[in-house]
Amino acid sequence: MPTTESGMPEGALQEMESVLGNDVRLFRINTLKIDQETLAGRAGINVRTLRNLESGHGTSLRTFLAVIRAMDRQTWLRMLVPKTAVRPKVLVLAVKQPKRVNKPKNQQ
């Protein structure tokens, strides 16, 4: 079975695309109550591009972000990345690094 660079099976990525696309479609229909033409116009994309996204047939990150923004759901994206109180670089620098490596003493 083909895998991606991350080692994830290709089918798993396609399934994720389908699930996300379906979620966008359901939100557009049930919550926003607008048609594809209206959402595509708000997002500044072609209707066919929106159909591809909603059907899980591949789309770019830029298209996905444009649609999320047009639906006024940027908070969905913020939930993907947790806020950190301390920058990771600060954590690394805070750990004392040994100045030299001590070799174990020979046991006799």
Side-chain angles (χ1 to χ4, degrees):
M1 171 177 267
T3 60
T4 63
E5 289 179 14
S6 65
M8 180 180 269
E10 184 66 35
L13 289 179
Q14 290 170 347
E15 183 178 341
M16 289 172 66
E17 278 185 314
S18 293
V19 169
L20 282 173
N22 190 51
D23 288 348
V24 167
R25 183 181 65 80
L26 291 174
F27 187 81
R28 174 183 58 79
I29 293 169
N30 298 329
T31 304
L32 299 177
K33 300 182 186 330
I34 58 176
D35 58 16
Q36 286 180 324
E37 291 78 15
T38 303
L39 182 56
R42 288 181 187 176
I45 61 172
N46 190 296
V47 176
R48 183 180 202 125
T49 304
L50 180 59
R51 279 191 202 118
N52 286 341
L53 176 106
E54 289 185 353
S55 66
H57 287 105
T59 188
S60 70
L61 178 60
R62 181 178 288 275
T63 297
F64 182 68
L65 294 175
V67 170
I68 295 296
R69 184 174 182 210
M71 294 189 310
D72 196 26
R73 294 294 163 210
Q74 295 93 319
T75 55
W76 290 355
L77 300 172
R78 290 189 193 106
M79 291 188 307
L80 296 174
V81 181
K83 288 187 176 183
T84 56
V86 179
R87 294 187 328 233
K89 185 175 181 180
V90 173
L91 292 175
V92 171
L93 295 176
V95 175
K96 283 193 170 185
Q97 301 295 322
K99 294 187 179 189
R100 67 182 131 179
V101 178
N102 293 326
K103 294 181 182 178
K105 293 181 179 179
N106 291 336
Q107 295 181 355
Q108 296 177 357

